[in-house]
């Protein structure tokens, strides 16, 4: 398996045809998966906004005040408003906003980016990253993973994660298969799109040297069942339940 | 960047010299990182045990009973005893045991494996996976990541994670660096050892076709600061705090 960056992508602007920009730069093969940073998908889809686009309501002002109290730094209530509008629920308001996006992803600030935004103040995640991936996948003829970077409980640091995907199942199901001694594997459902996103992030870098599109060549999904589920349902997420209770009823 | 499995590793047994077995099969280069599954490190280190090695005390019997109540399946109290002995704290007892290992890793059942154990009932994680990685790294002359697979909050499925590492920092620090427009990056500390472990898991597979050692060739850490911290300290882990309160005081 091999990974390499799509070379020389220009700065992406609203309306750009991302699939063509990739196809012009690289001959994709049947055994490729294209991993694209959500930032460039968002830019192409015009998800750049100004803070003024989000006049703060009462709740956003309350959250900004609470954040300022807890962190000691002034927070813009319009930013909190943007997070609220991108979310179906907040799991935490302070010391950072942990939000559930419309499409089910749980991440800080609903994934809204304040760096790498040349034409505005804020870059929102794609509205429906798996639909974005499907469009790119159809145009390019290979599976596509739309990636972001995200922190996580229990472990320091961020790693690449999938926020959308198409042409490949979210995970590979090993249940019912056996180990070398013929015993059934206790595990496991393997989240291959997250692992692809993380692998791509090793090559992509960040910042001014960053390359937002990475080809993974030669990954074999193999003859396994797949699942399209990546974001936990509430009923399957003890941590979400615990966090909600702790943050808001505690 | 390229990933490939170390071919034809035999079944590993206690006392095997894992470094030699790898070195005999592959010419490692300066730009390689070796990712090794904790299962084979544990086997080489003699971390295979029988359930009878863990006579259940009162707390283990209580946990097994609670697990059986909640899940409807009979649980062996000796298994709960093994988890207790491998842990410094349990964050959850049911519907599964979420444990903090001695070396700081938070995972279900303290990472104790019941499949893929030819010489016993249980395979425990290495006692100190980073020390194991250091031994391998010294013998092989390349960075080494000891990997496991682990579930996580918010997202379905397991992905590869690092439990030990040597010869490479746990994470790469992009703070203070700038984006294409010269604005400081809001993020980010990138957990490269976890991303390497996840990438290796894409190649490694599981079960009877599994290959427990994977070479990542051509990863460039680059000229960045690094950090050795991977497992969150309690004070930096809101989810841990919330979970503990919810599970045991709620």
């Amino acid at each position: 398996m091999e990974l390499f960056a799509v070379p020389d992508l220009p700065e992406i602007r609203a309306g750009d045809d991302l699939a063509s920009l990739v196809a012009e730069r690289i001959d994709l093969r049947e055994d490729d998966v294209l991993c694209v940073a959500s930032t460039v998908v968002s830019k192409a889809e015009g998800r750049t906004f100004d803070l003024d686009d989000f006049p703060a309501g009462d709740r956003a002002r309350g959250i900004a005040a609470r954040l300022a109290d807890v962190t000691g730094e002034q927070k813009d209530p319009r930013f909190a408003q943007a997070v609220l509008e991108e979310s179906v629920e907040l799991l935490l308001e302070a010391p950072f906003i942990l939000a559930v996006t419309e499409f089910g992803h749980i991440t800080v600030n609903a994934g809204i980016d304040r760096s790498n935004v040349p034409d505005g103040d804020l870059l929102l995640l794609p509205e429906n990253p798996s639909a974005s991936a499907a469009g790119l996948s159809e145009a390019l003829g290979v599976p596509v993973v739309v990636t972001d970077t995200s922190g996580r409980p229990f472990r320091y640091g961020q790693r690449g994660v999938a926020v959308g995907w198409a042409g490949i199942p979210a995970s590979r199901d090993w249940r019912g298969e056996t180990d070398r001694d013929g015993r059934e594997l206790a595990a496991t459902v393997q989240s291959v799109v997250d692992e692809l996103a993380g692998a791509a992030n090793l090559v992509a870098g960040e910042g001014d040297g960053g390359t937002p599109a990475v080809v993974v060549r030669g990954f074999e999904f193999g003859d396994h069942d797949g699942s399209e589920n990546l974001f936990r349902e509430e009923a399957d997420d003890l941590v979400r339940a615990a966090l909600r209770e702790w943050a808001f009823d505690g």
Side-chain angles (χ1 to χ4, degrees), chain A:
Chain A
M1 193 176 90
E2 193 187 352
L3 290 94
F4 51 92
V6 176
D8 303 322
L9 275 178
E11 181 72 47
I12 305 297
R13 311 247 167 214
D16 281 352
D17 180 351
L18 200 51
S20 296
L21 290 169
V22 170
E24 286 161 11
R25 282 165 179 77
I26 204 153
D27 285 321
L28 289 167
R29 299 191 337 194
E30 207 174 74
D31 60 343
D32 287 343
V33 176
L34 181 71
C35 296
V36 190
S38 57
T39 45
V40 294
V41 175
S42 289
K43 286 175 185 176
E45 294 180 356
R47 299 279 286 161
T48 302
F49 291 89
D50 288 319
L51 282 166
D52 281 341
D53 296 327
F54 298 95
D58 286 346
R59 182 160 181 212
R61 280 196 295 272
I63 292 169
R66 190 166 164 199
L67 275 166
D69 271 354
V70 172
T71 67
E73 283 172 52
Q74 215 46 51
K75 303 288 173 178
D76 195 313
R78 296 170 299 176
F79 183 76
Q81 182 67 35
V83 175
L84 278 172
E85 293 186 23
E86 283 295 291
S87 308
V88 293
E89 182 186 354
L90 303 189
L91 300 180
L92 278 175
E93 293 184 353
F96 51 85
I97 310 178
L98 186 64
V100 187
T101 68
E102 299 268 356
F103 59 91
H105 178 44
I106 295 179
T107 193
V108 171
N109 294 336
I112 299 176
D113 209 338
R114 299 190 71 168
S115 62
N116 255 316
V117 196
D119 300 323
D121 303 320
L122 305 177
L123 187 64
L124 278 48
L125 284 177
E127 263 191 276
N128 182 343
S130 284
S132 309
L136 290 166
S137 176
E138 194 169 329
L140 292 165
V142 299
V144 171
V145 177
V146 176
T147 70
D148 197 6
T149 54
S150 176
R152 61 268 169 90
F154 308 150
R155 303 171 82 83
Y156 289 114
Q158 303 199 316
R159 86 297 192 208
V161 293
V163 291
W165 61 95
I168 184 174
S171 58
R172 177 154 69 175
D173 198 334
W174 299 87
R175 287 173 298 185
E177 304 189 29
T178 53
D179 67 16
R180 290 185 177 194
D181 301 299
R183 301 190 215 190
E184 190 168 325
L185 289 175
T188 118
V189 175
Q190 179 189 6
S191 174
V192 291
V193 291
D194 274 346
E195 291 182 333
L196 287 163
N201 201 41
L202 287 169
V203 174
E206 304 244 353
D208 49 6
T211 49
V214 171
V215 176
V216 182
R217 177 157 291 173
F219 167 64
E220 293 173 30
F221 190 86
D223 183 24
H224 303 280
D225 289 335
S227 158
E228 289 306 328
N229 298 323
L230 182 61
F231 307 117
R232 281 186 189 272
E233 299 291 324
E234 276 197 64
D236 296 330
D237 199 341
L238 286 178
V239 167
R240 184 165 165 177
L243 209 50
R244 180 190 293 127
E245 202 164 308
W246 180 78
F248 293 109
D249 305 333

